[in-house]
Amino acid sequence: MRNYLFIGSSSKIVDQYINENNLINARYYGVSSKVKSISYQGGVSIYGYENINLLKDIKFDVIIILASRLPWEDVSFSKYIDVNNQVEHLLKSLSSINLIRARVIFLSSLSVYKENEIEINENSPIDRKGNYVISKLKMEQSLMSLSKMLGFELLILRIPVFAYIGGSTSFISRLIIEAKNKSVFTLTNKHSFLSAIFDIEHLIIIERSNWHGYSVVNCGAVPDIMFNEIGQLACKNGLRYVKWEDNNRISQTINIDKISKILGFKPSSIGIVTKIFNQEFL
């Protein structure tokens, strides 16, 4: 039996992860600040942070950390750090014996890099500005320390646009929402290619792959679809039209050498975009 723990389990990412993971011998647990006791949702036993002591004797094979404030939330820096502290407290509360062979994946963000970088790799300059970015970087550092102290294997994935069913925050999710509403959507970089995108299918493959020796890895895909083509796809699915605007901000290309080695292949942007549109417009 394979035990999964999702920290930040109220996310719709969890539902799709379980559906696509398709493992018979798996148990799914979650921890959420939106739950005060214990609830059961979509095959997941979800615990509030007040009840995490009930999880301390479970041997977890995989722990996926999704918990995070959103970058545009109008809250103090301390609120961002509160989330980090909850995650750290939870991991420390679990029995160290049951964490020794656990594989922990933290979904960080590509937002930690400077916006004016044309190509981003793991050694690109960090932009230590904003509550969201600083909190992500602090969480990365804390998890690195905890992995050494508690003995779990850690992989930090810096995520770009993340495509999943029912999303509402990324440009691809908002584009799909407006297409369903038969509305208008504003896009930029009409003739640029999209590289900064990833999805749950590839996250599942990573979780099952051998990533020993890697610590921080950028996620992205081969830039094989233009924003113009994405707009056309949205129009075919109900969007009235795309309003194109000039924007001085470049469309960044992600160096995917490391993530491709873990996956065993190079993800395709057109494949990810096409899949999420097919899923949303069944």
Side-chain angles (χ1 to χ4, degrees), residues 16-26 28 204 208:
Q16 189 176 341
Y17 193 103
I18 292 172
N19 289 334
E20 294 196 20
N21 199 23
N22 198 28
L23 287 181
I24 297 174
N25 294 319
Y28 298 100
I204 291 171
R208 297 180 181 180

Side-chain angles (χ1 to χ4, degrees), residues 175 179 229-242 277:
L175 176 61
E229 295 172 299
I230 297 172
Q232 291 173 358
L233 183 59
C235 289
K236 289 179 181 178
N237 285 281
L239 192 74
R240 284 173 56 201
Y241 63 87
V242 176
F277 268 87

Side-chain angles (χ1 to χ4, degrees), residues 2 54 68 83 164 169 193 228 234-235 252:
R2 196 166 174 81
L54 299 175
S68 176
V83 176
Y164 60 94
T169 57
F193 287 85
N228 184 42
C235 289
Q252 295 172 314

Side-chain angles (χ1 to χ4, degrees), residues 150-191:
L150 300 176
F152 58 79
E153 190 173 6
L154 173 67
L155 181 64
I156 295 168
L157 297 178
R158 288 179 173 164
I159 300 290
V161 171
F162 201 48
Y164 60 94
I165 298 170
S168 60
T169 57
S170 71
F171 93 87
I172 202 76
S173 296
R174 289 183 283 110
L175 176 61
I176 287 169
I177 290 170
E178 295 309 317
K180 289 181 177 180
N181 291 335
K182 302 189 182 306
S183 187
V184 177
F185 194 79
T186 300
L187 284 172
T188 60
N189 299 317
K190 184 175 184 178
H191 299 296

Side-chain angles (χ1 to χ4, degrees), residues 82-148:
D82 284 345
V83 176
N84 290 5
N85 291 339
Q86 285 182 321
V87 173
E88 292 173 42
H89 176 67
L90 169 57
L91 291 174
K92 289 177 181 177
S93 299
L94 298 175
S95 169
S96 58
I97 294 175
N98 291 330
L99 275 178
I100 287 176
R101 286 184 287 182
R103 310 181 89 210
V104 178
I105 298 175
F106 172 50
L107 270 59
S108 187
S109 173
L110 279 179
S111 297
V112 302
Y113 296 109
K114 291 184 180 295
E115 291 183 356
N116 59 356
E117 292 294 306
I118 297 175
E119 180 178 283
I120 293 176
N121 61 46
E122 286 77 7
N123 296 315
S124 294
I126 296 297
D127 188 7
R128 300 179 185 275
K129 294 180 181 178
N131 293 342
Y132 175 76
V133 168
I134 296 172
S135 67
K136 286 290 188 183
L137 292 170
K138 284 185 174 293
M139 187 78 261
E140 290 183 6
Q141 292 300 317
S142 295
L143 289 171
M144 288 179 187
S145 297
L146 284 174
S147 72
K148 294 176 182 177

